[in-house]
Amino acid sequence: DADVTQTPRNRITKTGKRIMLECSQTKGHDRMYWYRQDPGLGLRLIYYSFDVKDINKGEISDGYSVSRQAQAKFSLSLESAIPNQTALYFCATSEPYRAGGTDTQYFGPGTRLTVL
Amino acid sequence: LAKTTQPISMDSYEGQEVNITCSHNNIATNDYITWYQQFPSQGPRFIIQGYKTKVTNEVASLFIPADRKSSTLSLPRVSLSDTAVYYCLVGERLPDKLSFGAGTTVTVRA
């Protein structure tokens, strides 16, 4: 079974619709992240959460909101979808960094979102 | 946040060694160097991390010179399944302080 799951895997919606992308993890990690990926642009951080009561904006949070319902669940919402939010969305978790090291991130399979 | 520069793309053939160099001239004392691999339609996957000298695991080797201003990811004897995008990240701490750039697209041909 996958450690980080995302639903749905694919979604087509229309401009102005509200949509929620869900992420669940069984790794027991406190830290969770949402990224979007556009062709040729790598991954950009939207929001991240270090525990259930902690939510932080990332590089490109405008137009998005998140909810951390439990340690294992982190949802991303587009309140009013627009076409330039068409992208591949990834959820990730990370382990607290070892002494002197950087967190290792574990990514979900991605959600391909198309906004018409 | 250390800026990284890596080639946009590289081509190779099965059985060859692939070396991808990442430049990070403004790396800070406490920064680590981390590489991720991303296959088409999948999320990135951690490959290797290092601070200095050489690190090796079952997948790759990471060479870091003494001045740490660059690093080289080495993939031995690549196969078609190694075709992927490879990202070099440099930073001290959590992923919110790191940046996935465009990466290097490695294409392995038969």
Side-chain angles (χ1 to χ4, degrees):
Chain A
D1 289 339
D3 294 318
V4 183
T5 58
Q6 293 182 232
T7 56
R9 294 295 311 280
N10 289 282
R11 180 73 183 267
I12 299 173
T13 191
K14 294 182 179 180
T15 297
K17 295 292 187 181
R18 184 180 189 276
I19 184 169
M20 178 181 289
L21 309 183
E22 299 187 347
C23 177
S24 295
Q25 54 114 346
T26 59
K27 299 190 76 65
H29 294 163
D30 287 325
R31 297 169 181 169
M32 298 187 73
Y33 311 81
W34 275 104
Y35 290 88
R36 68 175 277 176
Q37 184 171 38
D38 299 278
L41 293 181
L43 280 77
R44 292 182 290 170
L45 184 62
I46 305 172
Y47 270 97
Y48 59 99
S49 169
F50 289 164
D51 64 43
V52 175
K53 297 181 180 180
D54 177 77
I55 299 291
N56 304 280
K57 293 183 177 181
E59 179 186 357
I60 53 164
S61 60
D62 287 349
Y64 302 94
S65 63
V66 292
S67 173
R68 185 79 185 268
Q69 302 94 323
Q71 183 201 43
K73 297 185 182 296
F74 193 35
S75 300
L76 176 72
S77 293
L78 287 68
E79 297 301 327
S80 180
I82 57 177
N84 75 0
Q85 291 178 312
T86 293
L88 190 54
Y89 290 85
F90 289 103
C91 173
T93 72
S94 73
E95 296 180 288
Y97 59 93
R98 300 160 293 166
T102 305
D103 271 32
T104 297
Q105 285 189 289
Y106 300 88
F107 286 81
T111 295
R112 187 167 299 278
L113 176 66
T114 302
V115 183
L116 302 176
Chain B
L1 189 64
K3 175 178 166 53
T4 60
T5 302
Q6 52 183 124
I8 294 175
S9 64
M10 299 179 69
D11 288 342
S12 184
Y13 291 91
E14 285 189 294
Q16 291 187 335
E17 180 181 77
V18 172
N19 296 305
I20 310 170
T21 296
C22 180
S23 297
H24 29 81
N25 291 319
N26 62 338
I27 189 168
T29 301
N30 295 328
D31 286 347
Y32 275 70
I33 300 156
T34 309
W35 286 81
Y36 282 80
Q37 173 190 56
Q38 184 179 23
F39 297 116
S41 299
Q42 294 186 26
R45 181 175 75 109
F46 172 88
I47 301 176
I48 198 166
Q49 182 179 115
Y51 182 80
K52 61 181 179 181
T53 63
K54 177 183 175 182
V55 179
T56 298
N57 62 21
E58 65 278 6
V59 176
S61 294
L62 178 60
F63 299 91
I64 306 170
D67 67 5
R68 302 200 329 121
K69 293 184 183 298
S70 67
S71 58
T72 299
L73 176 73
S74 180
L75 306 172
R77 298 180 298 282
V78 294
S79 65
L80 297 176
S81 63
D82 291 312
T83 292
V85 179
Y86 293 82
Y87 298 96
C88 168
L89 286 76
V90 174
E92 177 185 356
R93 296 185 56 207
L94 300 164
D96 64 299
K97 301 299 183 187
L98 301 178
S99 175
F100 282 86
T104 298
T105 299
V106 173
T107 302
V108 180
R109 306 181 192 281

